[in-house]
PDB file of all heavy atoms in Angstrom:
ATOM      1  N   ARG A 764       0.876  -1.250  -0.004  1.00  0.00           N
ATOM      2  CA  ARG A 764      -0.090   0.003  -0.035  1.00  0.00           C
ATOM      3  C   ARG A 764       0.883   1.296   0.041  1.00  0.00           C
ATOM      4  O   ARG A 764       0.480   2.313   0.480  1.00  0.00           O
ATOM      5  CB  ARG A 764      -0.867  -0.057   1.244  1.00  0.00           C
ATOM      6  CG  ARG A 764      -1.775  -1.233   1.437  1.00  0.00           C
ATOM      7  CD  ARG A 764      -3.024  -1.158   0.506  1.00  0.00           C
ATOM      8  NE  ARG A 764      -3.804  -0.071   0.847  1.00  0.00           N
ATOM      9  CZ  ARG A 764      -4.780  -0.109   1.694  1.00  0.00           C
ATOM     10  NH1 ARG A 764      -5.092  -1.240   2.401  1.00  0.00           N
ATOM     11  NH2 ARG A 764      -5.581   0.941   2.001  1.00  0.00           N
ATOM     12  N   ALA A 765       2.044   1.199  -0.585  1.00  0.00           N
ATOM     13  CA  ALA A 765       3.052   2.306  -0.562  1.00  0.00           C
ATOM     14  C   ALA A 765       2.414   3.591  -1.036  1.00  0.00           C
ATOM     15  O   ALA A 765       1.765   3.529  -2.039  1.00  0.00           O
ATOM     16  CB  ALA A 765       4.325   1.896  -1.285  1.00  0.00           C
ATOM     17  N   GLY A 766       2.674   4.606  -0.286  1.00  0.00           N
ATOM     18  CA  GLY A 766       2.110   5.886  -0.700  1.00  0.00           C
ATOM     19  C   GLY A 766       0.722   6.209  -0.201  1.00  0.00           C
ATOM     20  O   GLY A 766       0.271   7.305  -0.275  1.00  0.00           O
ATOM     21  N   GLU A 767       0.008   5.192   0.369  1.00  0.00           N
ATOM     22  CA  GLU A 767      -1.306   5.305   0.896  1.00  0.00           C
ATOM     23  C   GLU A 767      -1.260   5.324   2.373  1.00  0.00           C
ATOM     24  O   GLU A 767      -0.353   4.798   3.023  1.00  0.00           O
ATOM     25  CB  GLU A 767      -2.137   4.120   0.599  1.00  0.00           C
ATOM     26  CG  GLU A 767      -2.359   3.951  -0.977  1.00  0.00           C
ATOM     27  CD  GLU A 767      -3.172   2.664  -1.304  1.00  0.00           C
ATOM     28  OE1 GLU A 767      -3.971   2.328  -0.461  1.00  0.00           O
ATOM     29  OE2 GLU A 767      -3.022   2.027  -2.379  1.00  0.00           O
ATOM     30  N   THR A 768      -2.144   6.059   3.087  1.00  0.00           N
ATOM     31  CA  THR A 768      -2.270   6.156   4.502  1.00  0.00           C
ATOM     32  C   THR A 768      -3.174   5.033   4.949  1.00  0.00           C
ATOM     33  O   THR A 768      -4.295   4.862   4.429  1.00  0.00           O
ATOM     34  CB  THR A 768      -2.833   7.556   4.940  1.00  0.00           C
ATOM     35  OG1 THR A 768      -1.948   8.555   4.530  1.00  0.00           O
ATOM     36  CG2 THR A 768      -3.021   7.495   6.458  1.00  0.00           C
ATOM     37  N   VAL A 769      -2.720   4.197   5.771  1.00  0.00           N
ATOM     38  CA  VAL A 769      -3.498   3.066   6.362  1.00  0.00           C
ATOM     39  C   VAL A 769      -3.600   3.269   7.823  1.00  0.00           C
ATOM     40  O   VAL A 769      -2.771   3.650   8.531  1.00  0.00           O
ATOM     41  CB  VAL A 769      -2.769   1.698   6.052  1.00  0.00           C
ATOM     42  CG1 VAL A 769      -2.828   1.429   4.527  1.00  0.00           C
ATOM     43  CG2 VAL A 769      -1.410   1.640   6.596  1.00  0.00           C
ATOM     44  N   SER A 770      -4.828   2.947   8.284  1.00  0.00           N
ATOM     45  CA  SER A 770      -5.121   3.151   9.681  1.00  0.00           C
ATOM     46  C   SER A 770      -4.691   2.027  10.592  1.00  0.00           C
ATOM     47  O   SER A 770      -4.359   0.920  10.010  1.00  0.00           O
ATOM     48  CB  SER A 770      -6.673   3.315   9.841  1.00  0.00           C
ATOM     49  OG  SER A 770      -7.363   2.124   9.557  1.00  0.00           O
ATOM     50  N   LYS A 771      -4.671   2.252  11.849  1.00  0.00           N
ATOM     51  CA  LYS A 771      -4.352   1.196  12.774  1.00  0.00           C
ATOM     52  C   LYS A 771      -5.255   0.013  12.681  1.00  0.00           C
ATOM     53  O   LYS A 771      -4.872  -1.077  12.661  1.00  0.00           O
ATOM     54  CB  LYS A 771      -4.371   1.732  14.213  1.00  0.00           C
ATOM     55  CG  LYS A 771      -3.164   2.486  14.645  1.00  0.00           C
ATOM     56  CD  LYS A 771      -3.262   2.816  16.176  1.00  0.00           C
ATOM     57  CE  LYS A 771      -2.040   3.608  16.644  1.00  0.00           C
ATOM     58  NZ  LYS A 771      -2.124   3.908  17.984  1.00  0.00           N
ATOM     59  N   ALA A 772      -6.533   0.315  12.470  1.00  0.00           N
ATOM     60  CA  ALA A 772      -7.597  -0.785  12.335  1.00  0.00           C
ATOM     61  C   ALA A 772      -7.270  -1.534  11.063  1.00  0.00           C
ATOM     62  O   ALA A 772      -7.412  -2.775  11.114  1.00  0.00           O
ATOM     63  CB  ALA A 772      -8.950  -0.125  12.231  1.00  0.00           C
ATOM     64  N   ASP A 773      -6.928  -0.869   9.963  1.00  0.00           N
ATOM     65  CA  ASP A 773      -6.593  -1.736   8.732  1.00  0.00           C
ATOM     66  C   ASP A 773      -5.362  -2.597   8.988  1.00  0.00           C
ATOM     67  O   ASP A 773      -5.345  -3.721   8.560  1.00  0.00           O
ATOM     68  CB  ASP A 773      -6.211  -0.695   7.648  1.00  0.00           C
ATOM     69  CG  ASP A 773      -7.451  -0.042   7.073  1.00  0.00           C
ATOM     70  OD1 ASP A 773      -8.603  -0.586   7.273  1.00  0.00           O
ATOM     71  OD2 ASP A 773      -7.333   1.172   6.419  1.00  0.00           O
ATOM     72  N   ILE A 774      -4.451  -2.074   9.774  1.00  0.00           N
ATOM     73  CA  ILE A 774      -3.107  -2.789   9.966  1.00  0.00           C
ATOM     74  C   ILE A 774      -3.508  -4.010  10.890  1.00  0.00           C
ATOM     75  O   ILE A 774      -3.057  -5.129  10.630  1.00  0.00           O
ATOM     76  CB  ILE A 774      -2.027  -1.898  10.513  1.00  0.00           C
ATOM     77  CG1 ILE A 774      -1.618  -0.904   9.538  1.00  0.00           C
ATOM     78  CG2 ILE A 774      -0.923  -2.771  11.016  1.00  0.00           C
ATOM     79  CD1 ILE A 774      -0.672   0.118  10.047  1.00  0.00           C
ATOM     80  N   LEU A 775      -4.237  -3.860  11.910  1.00  0.00           N
ATOM     81  CA  LEU A 775      -4.606  -4.856  12.778  1.00  0.00           C
ATOM     82  C   LEU A 775      -5.335  -5.959  12.073  1.00  0.00           C
ATOM     83  O   LEU A 775      -5.132  -7.191  12.243  1.00  0.00           O
ATOM     84  CB  LEU A 775      -5.470  -4.303  13.944  1.00  0.00           C
ATOM     85  CG  LEU A 775      -4.819  -3.567  15.061  1.00  0.00           C
ATOM     86  CD1 LEU A 775      -5.780  -2.896  15.938  1.00  0.00           C
ATOM     87  CD2 LEU A 775      -3.764  -4.510  15.825  1.00  0.00           C
ATOM     88  N   HIS A 776      -6.306  -5.564  11.092  1.00  0.00           N
ATOM     89  CA  HIS A 776      -7.119  -6.489  10.355  1.00  0.00           C
ATOM     90  C   HIS A 776      -6.233  -7.354   9.442  1.00  0.00           C
ATOM     91  O   HIS A 776      -6.373  -8.529   9.310  1.00  0.00           O
ATOM     92  CB  HIS A 776      -8.196  -5.759   9.585  1.00  0.00           C
ATOM     93  CG  HIS A 776      -9.013  -6.671   8.844  1.00  0.00           C
ATOM     94  ND1 HIS A 776     -10.252  -7.209   9.340  1.00  0.00           N
ATOM     95  CD2 HIS A 776      -9.030  -7.101   7.534  1.00  0.00           C
ATOM     96  CE1 HIS A 776     -10.752  -8.005   8.447  1.00  0.00           C
ATOM     97  NE2 HIS A 776     -10.130  -7.885   7.282  1.00  0.00           N
ATOM     98  N   HIS A 777      -5.232  -6.787   8.817  1.00  0.00           N
ATOM     99  CA  HIS A 777      -4.466  -7.465   7.762  1.00  0.00           C
ATOM    100  C   HIS A 777      -3.246  -8.098   8.321  1.00  0.00           C
ATOM    101  O   HIS A 777      -2.817  -9.103   7.815  1.00  0.00           O
ATOM    102  CB  HIS A 777      -4.146  -6.486   6.660  1.00  0.00           C
ATOM    103  CG  HIS A 777      -5.291  -6.032   5.807  1.00  0.00           C
ATOM    104  ND1 HIS A 777      -5.797  -6.846   4.817  1.00  0.00           N
ATOM    105  CD2 HIS A 777      -6.094  -4.973   5.860  1.00  0.00           C
ATOM    106  CE1 HIS A 777      -6.798  -6.241   4.290  1.00  0.00           C
ATOM    107  NE2 HIS A 777      -7.027  -5.097   4.890  1.00  0.00           N
ATOM    108  N   VAL A 778      -2.698  -7.479   9.394  1.00  0.00           N
ATOM    109  CA  VAL A 778      -1.406  -8.146   9.894  1.00  0.00           C
ATOM    110  C   VAL A 778      -1.503  -8.920  11.110  1.00  0.00           C
ATOM    111  O   VAL A 778      -0.857  -9.869  11.294  1.00  0.00           O
ATOM    112  CB  VAL A 778      -0.407  -6.932  10.101  1.00  0.00           C
ATOM    113  CG1 VAL A 778       0.923  -7.345  10.718  1.00  0.00           C
ATOM    114  CG2 VAL A 778      -0.194  -6.105   8.866  1.00  0.00           C
ATOM    115  N   TRP A 779      -2.508  -8.581  11.924  1.00  0.00           N
ATOM    116  CA  TRP A 779      -2.768  -9.404  13.165  1.00  0.00           C
ATOM    117  C   TRP A 779      -3.927 -10.350  12.726  1.00  0.00           C
ATOM    118  O   TRP A 779      -3.614 -11.465  12.342  1.00  0.00           O
ATOM    119  CB  TRP A 779      -3.049  -8.515  14.339  1.00  0.00           C
ATOM    120  CG  TRP A 779      -1.764  -8.152  15.047  1.00  0.00           C
ATOM    121  CD1 TRP A 779      -1.334  -8.706  16.275  1.00  0.00           C
ATOM    122  CD2 TRP A 779      -0.787  -7.043  14.716  1.00  0.00           C
ATOM    123  NE1 TRP A 779      -0.052  -8.090  16.532  1.00  0.00           N
ATOM    124  CE2 TRP A 779       0.168  -7.092  15.695  1.00  0.00           C
ATOM    125  CE3 TRP A 779      -0.708  -6.185  13.666  1.00  0.00           C
ATOM    126  CZ2 TRP A 779       1.307  -6.270  15.612  1.00  0.00           C
ATOM    127  CZ3 TRP A 779       0.261  -5.377  13.627  1.00  0.00           C
ATOM    128  CH2 TRP A 779       1.382  -5.331  14.579  1.00  0.00           C
ATOM    129  N   ASP A 780      -5.136 -10.027  13.065  1.00  0.00           N
ATOM    130  CA  ASP A 780      -6.218 -10.858  12.797  1.00  0.00           C
ATOM    131  C   ASP A 780      -7.445 -10.052  12.723  1.00  0.00           C
ATOM    132  O   ASP A 780      -7.576  -9.017  13.402  1.00  0.00           O
ATOM    133  CB  ASP A 780      -6.325 -11.710  14.114  1.00  0.00           C
ATOM    134  CG  ASP A 780      -7.473 -12.784  13.909  1.00  0.00           C
ATOM    135  OD1 ASP A 780      -8.593 -12.517  14.290  1.00  0.00           O
ATOM    136  OD2 ASP A 780      -7.163 -13.960  13.359  1.00  0.00           O
ATOM    137  N   ALA A 781      -8.394 -10.534  11.923  1.00  0.00           N
ATOM    138  CA  ALA A 781      -9.675  -9.800  11.651  1.00  0.00           C
ATOM    139  C   ALA A 781     -10.432  -9.640  12.993  1.00  0.00           C
ATOM    140  O   ALA A 781     -11.291  -8.719  13.162  1.00  0.00           O
ATOM    141  CB  ALA A 781     -10.525 -10.384  10.587  1.00  0.00           C
ATOM    142  N   HIS A 782     -10.209 -10.552  13.938  1.00  0.00           N
ATOM    143  CA  HIS A 782     -10.995 -10.480  15.188  1.00  0.00           C
ATOM    144  C   HIS A 782     -10.092 -10.156  16.384  1.00  0.00           C
ATOM    145  O   HIS A 782     -10.407 -10.512  17.564  1.00  0.00           O
ATOM    146  CB  HIS A 782     -11.595 -11.840  15.438  1.00  0.00           C
ATOM    147  CG  HIS A 782     -12.483 -12.319  14.319  1.00  0.00           C
ATOM    148  ND1 HIS A 782     -13.676 -11.690  13.915  1.00  0.00           N
ATOM    149  CD2 HIS A 782     -12.312 -13.255  13.357  1.00  0.00           C
ATOM    150  CE1 HIS A 782     -14.170 -12.285  12.905  1.00  0.00           C
ATOM    151  NE2 HIS A 782     -13.431 -13.315  12.431  1.00  0.00           N
ATOM    152  N   TYR A 783      -8.962  -9.474  16.131  1.00  0.00           N
ATOM    153  CA  TYR A 783      -7.993  -9.170  17.156  1.00  0.00           C
ATOM    154  C   TYR A 783      -8.730  -8.234  18.148  1.00  0.00           C
ATOM    155  O   TYR A 783      -9.339  -7.235  17.804  1.00  0.00           O
ATOM    156  CB  TYR A 783      -6.775  -8.431  16.533  1.00  0.00           C
ATOM    157  CG  TYR A 783      -5.775  -7.963  17.510  1.00  0.00           C
ATOM    158  CD1 TYR A 783      -4.821  -8.894  18.195  1.00  0.00           C
ATOM    159  CD2 TYR A 783      -5.676  -6.657  17.930  1.00  0.00           C
ATOM    160  CE1 TYR A 783      -3.911  -8.359  19.079  1.00  0.00           C
ATOM    161  CE2 TYR A 783      -4.827  -6.146  18.882  1.00  0.00           C
ATOM    162  CZ  TYR A 783      -3.944  -7.045  19.450  1.00  0.00           C
ATOM    163  OH  TYR A 783      -3.029  -6.628  20.378  1.00  0.00           O
ATOM    164  N   GLU A 784      -8.607  -8.473  19.442  1.00  0.00           N
ATOM    165  CA  GLU A 784      -9.236  -7.695  20.528  1.00  0.00           C
ATOM    166  C   GLU A 784      -8.265  -7.177  21.523  1.00  0.00           C
ATOM    167  O   GLU A 784      -8.697  -6.689  22.535  1.00  0.00           O
ATOM    168  CB  GLU A 784     -10.319  -8.633  21.243  1.00  0.00           C
ATOM    169  CG  GLU A 784     -11.463  -9.004  20.231  1.00  0.00           C
ATOM    170  CD  GLU A 784     -12.450  -9.864  20.976  1.00  0.00           C
ATOM    171  OE1 GLU A 784     -12.220 -10.257  22.098  1.00  0.00           O
ATOM    172  OE2 GLU A 784     -13.563 -10.125  20.363  1.00  0.00           O
ATOM    173  N   GLY A 785      -6.918  -7.297  21.174  1.00  0.00           N
ATOM    174  CA  GLY A 785      -5.951  -6.712  22.041  1.00  0.00           C
ATOM    175  C   GLY A 785      -5.826  -5.118  22.065  1.00  0.00           C
ATOM    176  O   GLY A 785      -6.609  -4.513  21.389  1.00  0.00           O
ATOM    177  N   ASP A 786      -4.717  -4.719  22.544  1.00  0.00           N
ATOM    178  CA  ASP A 786      -4.463  -3.264  22.614  1.00  0.00           C
ATOM    179  C   ASP A 786      -3.988  -2.795  21.225  1.00  0.00           C
ATOM    180  O   ASP A 786      -2.981  -3.280  20.630  1.00  0.00           O
ATOM    181  CB  ASP A 786      -3.304  -3.020  23.655  1.00  0.00           C
ATOM    182  CG  ASP A 786      -3.113  -1.526  23.852  1.00  0.00           C
ATOM    183  OD1 ASP A 786      -3.588  -0.729  23.074  1.00  0.00           O
ATOM    184  OD2 ASP A 786      -2.428  -1.134  24.876  1.00  0.00           O
ATOM    185  N   ALA A 787      -4.685  -1.880  20.678  1.00  0.00           N
ATOM    186  CA  ALA A 787      -4.429  -1.333  19.289  1.00  0.00           C
ATOM    187  C   ALA A 787      -3.026  -0.674  19.320  1.00  0.00           C
ATOM    188  O   ALA A 787      -2.469  -0.493  18.248  1.00  0.00           O
ATOM    189  CB  ALA A 787      -5.492  -0.371  18.835  1.00  0.00           C
ATOM    190  N   ASN A 788      -2.486  -0.288  20.446  1.00  0.00           N
ATOM    191  CA  ASN A 788      -1.187   0.326  20.517  1.00  0.00           C
ATOM    192  C   ASN A 788      -0.093  -0.595  20.082  1.00  0.00           C
ATOM    193  O   ASN A 788       1.082  -0.155  19.884  1.00  0.00           O
ATOM    194  CB  ASN A 788      -0.904   0.896  21.882  1.00  0.00           C
ATOM    195  CG  ASN A 788      -1.735   2.215  22.098  1.00  0.00           C
ATOM    196  OD1 ASN A 788      -2.026   2.892  21.176  1.00  0.00           O
ATOM    197  ND2 ASN A 788      -2.100   2.446  23.367  1.00  0.00           N
ATOM    198  N   VAL A 789      -0.402  -1.876  20.022  1.00  0.00           N
ATOM    199  CA  VAL A 789       0.584  -2.841  19.558  1.00  0.00           C
ATOM    200  C   VAL A 789       1.132  -2.423  18.171  1.00  0.00           C
ATOM    201  O   VAL A 789       2.336  -2.676  17.666  1.00  0.00           O
ATOM    202  CB  VAL A 789       0.090  -4.283  19.503  1.00  0.00           C
ATOM    203  CG1 VAL A 789      -1.003  -4.437  18.418  1.00  0.00           C
ATOM    204  CG2 VAL A 789       1.193  -5.368  19.243  1.00  0.00           C
ATOM    205  N   VAL A 790       0.313  -1.813  17.296  1.00  0.00           N
ATOM    206  CA  VAL A 790       0.728  -1.302  15.990  1.00  0.00           C
ATOM    207  C   VAL A 790       1.829  -0.327  16.161  1.00  0.00           C
ATOM    208  O   VAL A 790       2.813  -0.337  15.422  1.00  0.00           O
ATOM    209  CB  VAL A 790      -0.435  -0.772  15.158  1.00  0.00           C
ATOM    210  CG1 VAL A 790       0.027  -0.125  13.903  1.00  0.00           C
ATOM    211  CG2 VAL A 790      -1.531  -1.839  14.909  1.00  0.00           C
ATOM    212  N   GLU A 791       1.567   0.732  17.010  1.00  0.00           N
ATOM    213  CA  GLU A 791       2.571   1.657  17.266  1.00  0.00           C
ATOM    214  C   GLU A 791       3.892   1.129  17.739  1.00  0.00           C
ATOM    215  O   GLU A 791       4.966   1.489  17.246  1.00  0.00           O
ATOM    216  CB  GLU A 791       2.175   2.742  18.296  1.00  0.00           C
ATOM    217  CG  GLU A 791       3.033   3.836  18.510  1.00  0.00           C
ATOM    218  CD  GLU A 791       2.376   4.823  19.499  1.00  0.00           C
ATOM    219  OE1 GLU A 791       1.190   4.882  19.751  1.00  0.00           O
ATOM    220  OE2 GLU A 791       3.158   5.653  20.162  1.00  0.00           O
ATOM    221  N   VAL A 792       3.880   0.048  18.556  1.00  0.00           N
ATOM    222  CA  VAL A 792       5.071  -0.574  19.039  1.00  0.00           C
ATOM    223  C   VAL A 792       5.827  -1.203  17.912  1.00  0.00           C
ATOM    224  O   VAL A 792       7.048  -0.981  17.758  1.00  0.00           O
ATOM    225  CB  VAL A 792       4.644  -1.620  20.080  1.00  0.00           C
ATOM    226  CG1 VAL A 792       5.943  -2.431  20.489  1.00  0.00           C
ATOM    227  CG2 VAL A 792       4.100  -0.948  21.342  1.00  0.00           C
ATOM    228  N   TYR A 793       5.141  -1.929  16.984  1.00  0.00           N
ATOM    229  CA  TYR A 793       5.757  -2.629  15.907  1.00  0.00           C
ATOM    230  C   TYR A 793       6.219  -1.656  14.818  1.00  0.00           C
ATOM    231  O   TYR A 793       7.229  -1.902  14.163  1.00  0.00           O
ATOM    232  CB  TYR A 793       4.888  -3.674  15.398  1.00  0.00           C
ATOM    233  CG  TYR A 793       5.085  -5.016  16.064  1.00  0.00           C
ATOM    234  CD1 TYR A 793       4.394  -5.255  17.216  1.00  0.00           C
ATOM    235  CD2 TYR A 793       5.951  -6.032  15.497  1.00  0.00           C
ATOM    236  CE1 TYR A 793       4.574  -6.461  17.919  1.00  0.00           C
ATOM    237  CE2 TYR A 793       6.176  -7.174  16.263  1.00  0.00           C
ATOM    238  CZ  TYR A 793       5.469  -7.344  17.512  1.00  0.00           C
ATOM    239  OH  TYR A 793       5.691  -8.531  18.192  1.00  0.00           O
ATOM    240  N   VAL A 794       5.520  -0.533  14.607  1.00  0.00           N
ATOM    241  CA  VAL A 794       6.043   0.481  13.683  1.00  0.00           C
ATOM    242  C   VAL A 794       7.391   1.082  14.287  1.00  0.00           C
ATOM    243  O   VAL A 794       8.287   1.233  13.502  1.00  0.00           O
ATOM    244  CB  VAL A 794       5.045   1.568  13.552  1.00  0.00           C
ATOM    245  CG1 VAL A 794       5.629   2.825  12.869  1.00  0.00           C
ATOM    246  CG2 VAL A 794       3.822   1.197  12.770  1.00  0.00           C
ATOM    247  N   GLY A 795       7.486   1.191  15.592  1.00  0.00           N
ATOM    248  CA  GLY A 795       8.738   1.641  16.175  1.00  0.00           C
ATOM    249  C   GLY A 795       9.840   0.568  15.886  1.00  0.00           C
ATOM    250  O   GLY A 795      11.024   0.881  15.472  1.00  0.00           O
ATOM    251  N   TYR A 796       9.504  -0.741  16.084  1.00  0.00           N
ATOM    252  CA  TYR A 796      10.548  -1.723  15.791  1.00  0.00           C
ATOM    253  C   TYR A 796      11.003  -1.761  14.338  1.00  0.00           C
ATOM    254  O   TYR A 796      12.207  -1.819  14.072  1.00  0.00           O
ATOM    255  CB  TYR A 796       9.909  -3.198  16.045  1.00  0.00           C
ATOM    256  CG  TYR A 796       9.560  -3.501  17.454  1.00  0.00           C
ATOM    257  CD1 TYR A 796       8.655  -4.448  17.764  1.00  0.00           C
ATOM    258  CD2 TYR A 796      10.221  -2.940  18.515  1.00  0.00           C
ATOM    259  CE1 TYR A 796       8.326  -4.793  19.020  1.00  0.00           C
ATOM    260  CE2 TYR A 796       9.869  -3.138  19.795  1.00  0.00           C
ATOM    261  CZ  TYR A 796       8.918  -4.121  20.108  1.00  0.00           C
ATOM    262  OH  TYR A 796       8.668  -4.489  21.414  1.00  0.00           O
ATOM    263  N   LEU A 797      10.019  -1.502  13.482  1.00  0.00           N
ATOM    264  CA  LEU A 797      10.366  -1.485  12.027  1.00  0.00           C
ATOM    265  C   LEU A 797      11.337  -0.204  11.688  1.00  0.00           C
ATOM    266  O   LEU A 797      12.163  -0.412  10.931  1.00  0.00           O
ATOM    267  CB  LEU A 797       8.998  -1.435  11.260  1.00  0.00           C
ATOM    268  CG  LEU A 797       8.978  -1.955   9.857  1.00  0.00           C
ATOM    269  CD1 LEU A 797       9.483  -3.404   9.839  1.00  0.00           C
ATOM    270  CD2 LEU A 797       7.578  -1.909   9.309  1.00  0.00           C
ATOM    271  N   ARG A 798      10.969   0.899  12.216  1.00  0.00           N
ATOM    272  CA  ARG A 798      11.746   2.110  11.990  1.00  0.00           C
ATOM    273  C   ARG A 798      13.160   1.928  12.378  1.00  0.00           C
ATOM    274  O   ARG A 798      14.147   2.316  11.739  1.00  0.00           O
ATOM    275  CB  ARG A 798      11.126   3.293  12.682  1.00  0.00           C
ATOM    276  CG  ARG A 798       9.925   3.821  12.027  1.00  0.00           C
ATOM    277  CD  ARG A 798       9.237   4.839  12.926  1.00  0.00           C
ATOM    278  NE  ARG A 798       8.215   5.654  12.214  1.00  0.00           N
ATOM    279  CZ  ARG A 798       7.206   6.242  12.785  1.00  0.00           C
ATOM    280  NH1 ARG A 798       6.953   6.083  14.050  1.00  0.00           N
ATOM    281  NH2 ARG A 798       6.284   6.856  12.043  1.00  0.00           N
TER     282      ARG A 798
END
């Protein structure tokens, strides 16, 4: 999705699980790891 803005919800749905019910801040944590 390069060049597109993707929401935390989109990332959780596609990278974690469609039914993920944990802390959405996990996305921020992994973005930090990636950077």
Side-chain angles (χ1 to χ4, degrees):
R764 302 284 296 274
E767 301 177 26
T768 299
V769 292
S770 68
K771 281 187 179 181
D773 288 335
I774 293 172
L775 286 172
H776 181 84
H777 290 277
V778 178
W779 271 261
D780 183 273
H782 306 290
Y783 178 79
E784 296 180 353
D786 189 347
N788 286 331
V789 69
V790 174
E791 185 177 340
V792 172
Y793 272 85
V794 166
Y796 294 157
L797 207 54
R798 284 171 169 153

